[in-house]
Amino acid sequence: MMSVTMLATLRRVKSPRWLSPDILLGYTLGQDIRRNGSSFSPGPAACRRTVSTSCSLHAKVRGNHQKRELSEKKLTRHFIDHRRVKLVAGSGGKGACTFHSEPRKEWGGPDGGNGGDGGSIIIKADKFVKSLAQVVPFYKGDDGQSGSSKNCYGKNGSTTYITVPLGTVVKEEGKIVVDLSEHGQEFIAVFGGAGGKGNRFFLSNEIRAPIKATPGAMGEERVLHMELRTMAHAGLVGFPNAGKSSLLRVISNARPAVAAYPFTTLNPHVGIVNYRDHEQIAVADIPGIIRGAHLNRGLGISFLRHIERCRFLLYVLDLSAPEPWTQLQHLRYELDQYEPGLSLRPQAIIANKMDLPEAREKLETLKSHVTQRVIPVSALTGHNTEELILHLREMYDGYLQGEGSEEGKPTRW
């Protein structure tokens, strides 16, 4: 009886070309079960043909997966030290041209108010900001509101503030406009447009019913370049893989990435050297410089500008190199090509990797080629780093007494 019903159903259903026999069999079985109200359990062959096991029908189990910590390379990837910003200040609101209307006051006179001034854009230095990453390429100030009747003035546009780190230099067409080096220092980049005048403003003894109203002025428009120069007292200058990052980890509280391959440091790191008298000295780890860096080779000149703010330089030489004294010549040449006289600042020579046997043999040869003080250290073992820290303090005290007094106010971290 059931087989006859199935055949009759198959005759009534016109199967399209894209329906397979398996789908038709499942459809007819379901129709027959609903019609007769009886339970039907297909055999193993039917189960294999109608049930698909190619996909999962159950929900995915969601576990509490903890987020992985970002690596040093990903964290420093967001360090931005250069921005090109277009600034457009707010426009002023237009003045109103209205006349007073009130019962039993036929000649009420003009009562159109002035429009509000447009909002200006101010660049402000903040010591709690460490990067230009939050600076967007375009800023538009708020426009002033238009004036209205009853001598109501329009509201002025609010001022837009752009917070930048200390040591940000603002340039326009290659010329320095302002140097923001103090906390709270402000620079009005663009001024908002003045608000328009309403017809009340033009009321005089000769003109008793002025119908003149002026629109608001357009805000200033400017394209500026922001460059961040690391504010540090001393800068570690050296070729890639010379041990600058390892040395900074030993003498300060900074934790830059350290690896056995060149160009580990992709962004400058600033570490603080603390002394017992609570004095602090900032030391910057400048990314590795190669020959031809002033020609934009390697990391280019984008990081050489960080050395401009350093009051004294610490040349880190790798004594495992064949001729480490030639590294010093190349480093000085690159600095002078970038800025004449940059390599003549107060300096010290640090002979790193003294834990290697071949480095001890080259130390005396290095001292014979230079006239500056050579401090042999080992960033791996921490050997003789106390002498470096003490000499760093001597150079800092000399800066406070010498150059700092000439400039009027020494730079403190």
Side-chain angles (χ1 to χ4, degrees), residues 76-239:
T76 56
R77 188 178 300 171
H78 303 283
F79 183 91
I80 298 176
D81 59 349
H82 183 271
R83 279 293 195 192
R84 179 182 180 274
V85 183
K86 182 177 181 180
L87 307 176
V88 179
S91 302
K94 62 181 181 180
C97 182
T98 59
F99 290 88
H100 185 70
S101 177
E102 190 178 349
R104 294 183 296 277
K105 285 188 178 181
E106 185 177 357
W107 309 99
D111 65 346
N114 301 336
D117 298 333
S120 303
I121 300 179
I122 299 178
I123 303 176
K124 184 177 181 180
D126 191 351
K127 63 181 180 181
F128 299 104
V129 181
K130 301 301 181 183
S131 173
L132 295 175
Q134 77 283 353
V135 179
V136 298
F138 179 76
Y139 284 91
K140 177 66 172 69
D142 296 336
D143 297 334
Q145 294 183 357
S146 302
S148 58
S149 59
K150 298 182 180 179
N151 297 320
C152 293
Y153 284 28
K155 181 181 178 181
N156 296 333
S158 58
T159 304
T160 303
Y161 287 90
I162 305 176
T163 56
V164 296
L166 298 181
T168 301
V169 177
V170 182
K171 295 183 179 180
E172 185 178 16
E173 297 181 356
K175 298 181 180 180
I176 297 178
V177 179
V178 66
D179 186 357
L180 303 175
S181 57
E182 298 181 2
H183 177 68
Q185 184 178 356
E186 297 182 356
F187 168 66
I188 304 178
V190 286
F191 289 89
K197 304 299 182 181
N199 61 342
R200 175 72 181 182
F201 178 81
F202 299 100
L203 177 65
S204 63
N205 293 331
E206 293 78 12
I207 305 176
R208 303 305 301 172
I211 58 174
K212 179 182 179 182
T214 59
M218 299 293 294
E220 289 185 344
E221 184 174 341
R222 208 171 185 181
V223 177
L224 299 177
H225 295 263
M226 299 183 184
E227 295 182 1
L228 175 59
R229 299 175 181 175
T230 305
M231 295 288 293
H233 301 106
L236 299 176
V237 184
F239 281 90

Side-chain angles (χ1 to χ4, degrees), residues 342-357:
L342 183 58
S343 64
L344 301 179
R345 293 187 179 182
Q347 57 190 259
I349 301 175
I350 303 174
N352 194 18
K353 301 184 181 181
M354 291 302 300
D355 54 295
L356 301 177

Side-chain angles (χ1 to χ4, degrees), residues 1-21:
M1 180 66 183
M2 185 177 295
S3 60
V4 176
T5 307
M6 291 173 55
L7 292 176
T9 307
L10 286 174
R11 293 192 187 98
R12 289 195 300 267
V13 177
K14 297 181 179 179
S15 60
R17 294 182 179 179
W18 59 84
L19 293 180
S20 63

